[in-house]
mmCIF file of all heavy atoms in Angstrom:
data_model
loop_
_atom_site.group_PDB
_atom_site.id
_atom_site.type_symbol
_atom_site.label_atom_id
_atom_site.label_comp_id
_atom_site.label_asym_id
_atom_site.label_seq_id
_atom_site.Cartn_x
_atom_site.Cartn_y
_atom_site.Cartn_z
ATOM 1 N N SER A 1 33.108 43.668 -19.991
ATOM 2 C CA SER A 1 32.271 43.811 -21.141
ATOM 3 C C SER A 1 31.279 44.979 -21.006
ATOM 4 O O SER A 1 30.787 45.520 -22.006
ATOM 5 C CB SER A 1 31.456 42.466 -21.383
ATOM 6 O OG SER A 1 30.686 42.220 -20.273
ATOM 7 N N LEU A 2 31.003 45.416 -19.798
ATOM 8 C CA LEU A 2 30.065 46.466 -19.567
ATOM 9 C C LEU A 2 30.670 47.878 -19.619
ATOM 10 O O LEU A 2 29.978 48.852 -19.941
ATOM 11 C CB LEU A 2 29.339 46.306 -18.222
ATOM 12 C CG LEU A 2 28.504 45.070 -18.111
ATOM 13 C CD1 LEU A 2 27.895 44.916 -16.671
ATOM 14 C CD2 LEU A 2 27.392 45.016 -19.179
ATOM 15 N N ASP A 3 31.955 47.957 -19.368
ATOM 16 C CA ASP A 3 32.629 49.267 -19.417
ATOM 17 C C ASP A 3 34.064 49.102 -19.874
ATOM 18 O O ASP A 3 34.881 48.464 -19.175
ATOM 19 C CB ASP A 3 32.618 49.853 -17.974
ATOM 20 C CG ASP A 3 33.078 51.310 -17.908
ATOM 21 O OD1 ASP A 3 33.846 51.752 -18.870
ATOM 22 O OD2 ASP A 3 32.744 51.986 -16.968
ATOM 23 N N ALA A 4 34.320 49.649 -21.042
ATOM 24 C CA ALA A 4 35.661 49.496 -21.688
ATOM 25 C C ALA A 4 36.772 50.241 -20.949
ATOM 26 O O ALA A 4 37.948 50.054 -21.263
ATOM 27 C CB ALA A 4 35.623 49.960 -23.096
ATOM 28 N N MET A 5 36.431 50.962 -19.916
ATOM 29 C CA MET A 5 37.465 51.686 -19.127
ATOM 30 C C MET A 5 37.734 50.966 -17.822
ATOM 31 O O MET A 5 38.525 51.517 -16.963
ATOM 32 C CB MET A 5 37.010 53.132 -18.921
ATOM 33 C CG MET A 5 36.989 53.851 -20.240
ATOM 34 S SD MET A 5 36.533 55.576 -20.232
ATOM 35 C CE MET A 5 37.564 56.318 -18.975
ATOM 36 N N VAL A 6 37.175 49.801 -17.624
ATOM 37 C CA VAL A 6 37.368 49.041 -16.372
ATOM 38 C C VAL A 6 37.908 47.621 -16.697
ATOM 39 O O VAL A 6 37.390 46.999 -17.584
ATOM 40 C CB VAL A 6 35.998 48.944 -15.602
ATOM 41 C CG1 VAL A 6 36.200 48.109 -14.364
ATOM 42 C CG2 VAL A 6 35.454 50.361 -15.263
ATOM 43 N N TRP A 7 38.923 47.208 -15.939
ATOM 44 C CA TRP A 7 39.425 45.897 -16.040
ATOM 45 C C TRP A 7 39.226 45.175 -14.686
ATOM 46 O O TRP A 7 39.382 45.709 -13.642
ATOM 47 C CB TRP A 7 40.963 45.981 -16.246
ATOM 48 C CG TRP A 7 41.362 46.194 -17.664
ATOM 49 C CD1 TRP A 7 41.788 45.281 -18.564
ATOM 50 C CD2 TRP A 7 41.383 47.437 -18.386
ATOM 51 N NE1 TRP A 7 42.078 45.842 -19.734
ATOM 52 C CE2 TRP A 7 41.818 47.165 -19.698
ATOM 53 C CE3 TRP A 7 41.048 48.763 -18.059
ATOM 54 C CZ2 TRP A 7 41.963 48.170 -20.643
ATOM 55 C CZ3 TRP A 7 41.151 49.738 -18.998
ATOM 56 C CH2 TRP A 7 41.630 49.455 -20.285
ATOM 57 N N GLN A 8 38.787 43.904 -14.841
ATOM 58 C CA GLN A 8 38.636 43.076 -13.701
ATOM 59 C C GLN A 8 39.986 42.412 -13.414
ATOM 60 O O GLN A 8 40.636 41.859 -14.316
ATOM 61 C CB GLN A 8 37.580 41.913 -13.945
ATOM 62 C CG GLN A 8 37.475 40.964 -12.809
ATOM 63 C CD GLN A 8 36.948 41.597 -11.497
ATOM 64 O OE1 GLN A 8 36.095 42.524 -11.535
ATOM 65 N NE2 GLN A 8 37.433 41.116 -10.362
ATOM 66 N N VAL A 9 40.423 42.529 -12.149
ATOM 67 C CA VAL A 9 41.727 42.003 -11.692
ATOM 68 C C VAL A 9 41.490 40.903 -10.685
ATOM 69 O O VAL A 9 40.789 41.069 -9.734
ATOM 70 C CB VAL A 9 42.566 43.122 -11.108
ATOM 71 C CG1 VAL A 9 43.928 42.588 -10.655
ATOM 72 C CG2 VAL A 9 42.756 44.308 -12.066
ATOM 73 N N ASP A 10 42.084 39.735 -10.962
ATOM 74 C CA ASP A 10 41.940 38.580 -10.025
ATOM 75 C C ASP A 10 43.383 37.949 -9.924
ATOM 76 O O ASP A 10 43.935 37.464 -10.895
ATOM 77 C CB ASP A 10 40.973 37.530 -10.521
ATOM 78 C CG ASP A 10 39.550 38.120 -10.454
ATOM 79 O OD1 ASP A 10 39.044 38.368 -9.340
ATOM 80 O OD2 ASP A 10 38.982 38.324 -11.536
ATOM 81 N N GLU A 11 43.916 37.990 -8.704
ATOM 82 C CA GLU A 11 45.252 37.434 -8.419
ATOM 83 C C GLU A 11 45.193 36.499 -7.322
ATOM 84 O O GLU A 11 44.400 36.599 -6.380
ATOM 85 C CB GLU A 11 46.173 38.619 -7.963
ATOM 86 C CG GLU A 11 46.238 39.792 -8.880
ATOM 87 C CD GLU A 11 47.099 40.918 -8.285
ATOM 88 O OE1 GLU A 11 47.761 40.712 -7.235
ATOM 89 O OE2 GLU A 11 47.128 41.976 -8.876
ATOM 90 N N ARG A 12 46.051 35.463 -7.406
ATOM 91 C CA ARG A 12 46.220 34.550 -6.266
ATOM 92 C C ARG A 12 47.703 34.179 -6.117
ATOM 93 O O ARG A 12 48.365 33.805 -7.092
ATOM 94 C CB ARG A 12 45.427 33.229 -6.488
ATOM 95 C CG ARG A 12 45.441 32.354 -5.264
ATOM 96 C CD ARG A 12 44.406 31.233 -5.334
ATOM 97 N NE ARG A 12 44.480 30.406 -6.444
ATOM 98 C CZ ARG A 12 45.207 29.269 -6.427
ATOM 99 N NH1 ARG A 12 45.852 28.814 -5.351
ATOM 100 N NH2 ARG A 12 45.200 28.531 -7.507
ATOM 101 N N PHE A 13 48.205 34.361 -4.900
ATOM 102 C CA PHE A 13 49.583 34.034 -4.577
ATOM 103 C C PHE A 13 49.616 32.979 -3.522
ATOM 104 O O PHE A 13 48.668 32.895 -2.705
ATOM 105 C CB PHE A 13 50.333 35.313 -4.137
ATOM 106 C CG PHE A 13 50.518 36.278 -5.268
ATOM 107 C CD1 PHE A 13 49.547 37.199 -5.609
ATOM 108 C CD2 PHE A 13 51.649 36.233 -6.045
ATOM 109 C CE1 PHE A 13 49.710 38.051 -6.669
ATOM 110 C CE2 PHE A 13 51.832 37.060 -7.117
ATOM 111 C CZ PHE A 13 50.848 37.991 -7.443
ATOM 112 N N VAL A 14 50.637 32.173 -3.499
ATOM 113 C CA VAL A 14 50.699 31.012 -2.648
ATOM 114 C C VAL A 14 50.785 31.329 -1.145
ATOM 115 O O VAL A 14 50.407 30.481 -0.317
ATOM 116 C CB VAL A 14 51.780 30.045 -3.033
ATOM 117 C CG1 VAL A 14 51.584 29.464 -4.381
ATOM 118 C CG2 VAL A 14 53.151 30.636 -2.906
ATOM 119 N N ASP A 15 51.312 32.528 -0.847
ATOM 120 C CA ASP A 15 51.366 32.914 0.571
ATOM 121 C C ASP A 15 51.610 34.412 0.697
ATOM 122 O O ASP A 15 51.799 35.113 -0.344
ATOM 123 C CB ASP A 15 52.447 32.137 1.308
ATOM 124 C CG ASP A 15 53.836 32.226 0.714
ATOM 125 O OD1 ASP A 15 54.170 33.271 0.084
ATOM 126 O OD2 ASP A 15 54.654 31.278 0.893
ATOM 127 N N VAL A 16 51.661 34.932 1.882
ATOM 128 C CA VAL A 16 51.834 36.347 2.157
ATOM 129 C C VAL A 16 53.227 36.829 1.597
ATOM 130 O O VAL A 16 53.321 37.887 0.981
ATOM 131 C CB VAL A 16 51.704 36.663 3.614
ATOM 132 C CG1 VAL A 16 52.099 38.097 3.910
ATOM 133 C CG2 VAL A 16 50.254 36.451 4.095
ATOM 134 N N ASP A 17 54.287 36.041 1.787
ATOM 135 C CA ASP A 17 55.552 36.423 1.282
ATOM 136 C C ASP A 17 55.580 36.587 -0.215
ATOM 137 O O ASP A 17 56.143 37.576 -0.725
ATOM 138 C CB ASP A 17 56.650 35.361 1.692
ATOM 139 C CG ASP A 17 56.914 35.366 3.167
ATOM 140 O OD1 ASP A 17 56.546 36.360 3.900
ATOM 141 O OD2 ASP A 17 57.458 34.372 3.682
ATOM 142 N N ALA A 18 54.960 35.696 -0.935
ATOM 143 C CA ALA A 18 54.886 35.817 -2.378
ATOM 144 C C ALA A 18 54.077 37.025 -2.794
ATOM 145 O O ALA A 18 54.473 37.810 -3.734
ATOM 146 C CB ALA A 18 54.263 34.598 -3.007
ATOM 147 N N PHE A 19 52.985 37.308 -2.162
ATOM 148 C CA PHE A 19 52.182 38.427 -2.420
ATOM 149 C C PHE A 19 52.955 39.767 -2.147
ATOM 150 O O PHE A 19 52.958 40.671 -2.989
ATOM 151 C CB PHE A 19 50.869 38.436 -1.599
ATOM 152 C CG PHE A 19 49.964 39.668 -1.819
ATOM 153 C CD1 PHE A 19 49.303 39.784 -3.020
ATOM 154 C CD2 PHE A 19 49.870 40.616 -0.919
ATOM 155 C CE1 PHE A 19 48.471 40.874 -3.242
ATOM 156 C CE2 PHE A 19 49.081 41.763 -1.080
ATOM 157 C CZ PHE A 19 48.363 41.871 -2.281
ATOM 158 N N GLU A 20 53.615 39.813 -1.047
ATOM 159 C CA GLU A 20 54.395 41.004 -0.709
ATOM 160 C C GLU A 20 55.554 41.234 -1.638
ATOM 161 O O GLU A 20 55.859 42.326 -2.040
ATOM 162 C CB GLU A 20 54.869 40.915 0.736
ATOM 163 C CG GLU A 20 53.753 41.097 1.774
ATOM 164 C CD GLU A 20 54.137 40.910 3.192
ATOM 165 O OE1 GLU A 20 55.297 40.507 3.469
ATOM 166 O OE2 GLU A 20 53.309 41.170 4.047
ATOM 167 N N ALA A 21 56.222 40.121 -2.099
ATOM 168 C CA ALA A 21 57.224 40.200 -3.106
ATOM 169 C C ALA A 21 56.711 40.782 -4.404
ATOM 170 O O ALA A 21 57.324 41.635 -5.066
ATOM 171 C CB ALA A 21 57.904 38.930 -3.324
ATOM 172 N N HIS A 22 55.541 40.344 -4.771
ATOM 173 C CA HIS A 22 54.873 40.884 -5.945
ATOM 174 C C HIS A 22 54.580 42.381 -5.828
ATOM 175 O O HIS A 22 54.911 43.144 -6.723
ATOM 176 C CB HIS A 22 53.556 40.106 -6.239
ATOM 177 C CG HIS A 22 52.704 40.797 -7.200
ATOM 178 N ND1 HIS A 22 52.979 40.782 -8.601
ATOM 179 C CD2 HIS A 22 51.541 41.416 -7.083
ATOM 180 C CE1 HIS A 22 52.044 41.436 -9.231
ATOM 181 N NE2 HIS A 22 51.124 41.870 -8.335
ATOM 182 N N GLN A 23 54.093 42.781 -4.687
ATOM 183 C CA GLN A 23 53.753 44.163 -4.483
ATOM 184 C C GLN A 23 55.025 45.038 -4.591
ATOM 185 O O GLN A 23 54.999 46.130 -5.186
ATOM 186 C CB GLN A 23 53.071 44.377 -3.122
ATOM 187 C CG GLN A 23 51.702 43.780 -3.040
ATOM 188 C CD GLN A 23 50.734 44.362 -4.071
ATOM 189 O OE1 GLN A 23 50.609 45.551 -4.108
ATOM 190 N NE2 GLN A 23 50.134 43.440 -4.850
ATOM 191 N N ARG A 24 56.148 44.525 -4.026
ATOM 192 C CA ARG A 24 57.419 45.290 -4.120
ATOM 193 C C ARG A 24 57.886 45.387 -5.545
ATOM 194 O O ARG A 24 58.338 46.426 -6.030
ATOM 195 C CB ARG A 24 58.466 44.605 -3.221
ATOM 196 C CG ARG A 24 58.276 44.835 -1.791
ATOM 197 C CD ARG A 24 59.519 44.435 -0.955
ATOM 198 N NE ARG A 24 59.805 42.983 -1.102
ATOM 199 C CZ ARG A 24 59.204 42.010 -0.422
ATOM 200 N NH1 ARG A 24 58.316 42.273 0.475
ATOM 201 N NH2 ARG A 24 59.565 40.763 -0.622
ATOM 202 N N ARG A 25 57.800 44.281 -6.312
ATOM 203 C CA ARG A 25 58.258 44.256 -7.690
ATOM 204 C C ARG A 25 57.373 45.224 -8.514
ATOM 205 O O ARG A 25 57.926 46.056 -9.275
ATOM 206 C CB ARG A 25 58.179 42.878 -8.327
ATOM 207 C CG ARG A 25 58.755 42.906 -9.757
ATOM 208 C CD ARG A 25 58.355 41.662 -10.502
ATOM 209 N NE ARG A 25 56.985 41.500 -10.778
ATOM 210 C CZ ARG A 25 56.260 42.215 -11.704
ATOM 211 N NH1 ARG A 25 56.826 43.125 -12.426
ATOM 212 N NH2 ARG A 25 54.935 41.960 -11.889
ATOM 213 N N VAL A 26 56.114 45.149 -8.327
ATOM 214 C CA VAL A 26 55.218 46.046 -9.112
ATOM 215 C C VAL A 26 55.491 47.546 -8.768
ATOM 216 O O VAL A 26 55.560 48.415 -9.708
ATOM 217 C CB VAL A 26 53.716 45.729 -8.842
ATOM 218 C CG1 VAL A 26 52.799 46.759 -9.474
ATOM 219 C CG2 VAL A 26 53.433 44.343 -9.403
ATOM 220 N N ALA A 27 55.696 47.846 -7.541
ATOM 221 C CA ALA A 27 55.948 49.237 -7.124
ATOM 222 C C ALA A 27 57.150 49.863 -7.838
ATOM 223 O O ALA A 27 57.164 51.071 -8.111
ATOM 224 C CB ALA A 27 56.100 49.374 -5.603
ATOM 225 N N SER A 28 58.126 48.999 -8.141
ATOM 226 C CA SER A 28 59.372 49.546 -8.802
ATOM 227 C C SER A 28 59.356 49.235 -10.334
ATOM 228 O O SER A 28 60.356 49.546 -10.956
ATOM 229 C CB SER A 28 60.595 48.939 -8.133
ATOM 230 O OG SER A 28 60.611 47.541 -8.287
ATOM 231 N N SER A 29 58.292 48.704 -10.817
ATOM 232 C CA SER A 29 58.270 48.352 -12.243
ATOM 233 C C SER A 29 57.788 49.516 -13.118
ATOM 234 O O SER A 29 57.184 50.478 -12.660
ATOM 235 C CB SER A 29 57.322 47.152 -12.429
ATOM 236 O OG SER A 29 55.997 47.500 -12.321
ATOM 237 N N GLU A 30 57.973 49.329 -14.423
ATOM 238 C CA GLU A 30 57.436 50.370 -15.365
ATOM 239 C C GLU A 30 55.927 50.438 -15.231
ATOM 240 O O GLU A 30 55.343 51.524 -15.185
ATOM 241 C CB GLU A 30 57.885 49.972 -16.774
ATOM 242 C CG GLU A 30 57.544 50.961 -17.802
ATOM 243 C CD GLU A 30 58.242 50.678 -19.149
ATOM 244 O OE1 GLU A 30 58.277 49.500 -19.530
ATOM 245 O OE2 GLU A 30 58.625 51.621 -19.806
#
């Protein structure tokens, strides 16, 4: 609400493997 050019990001994954899988998917995503 204070800066329209900034987004707050909050993520939670069930374990390291899930988080790492997410990072890999995002890296190759549009």
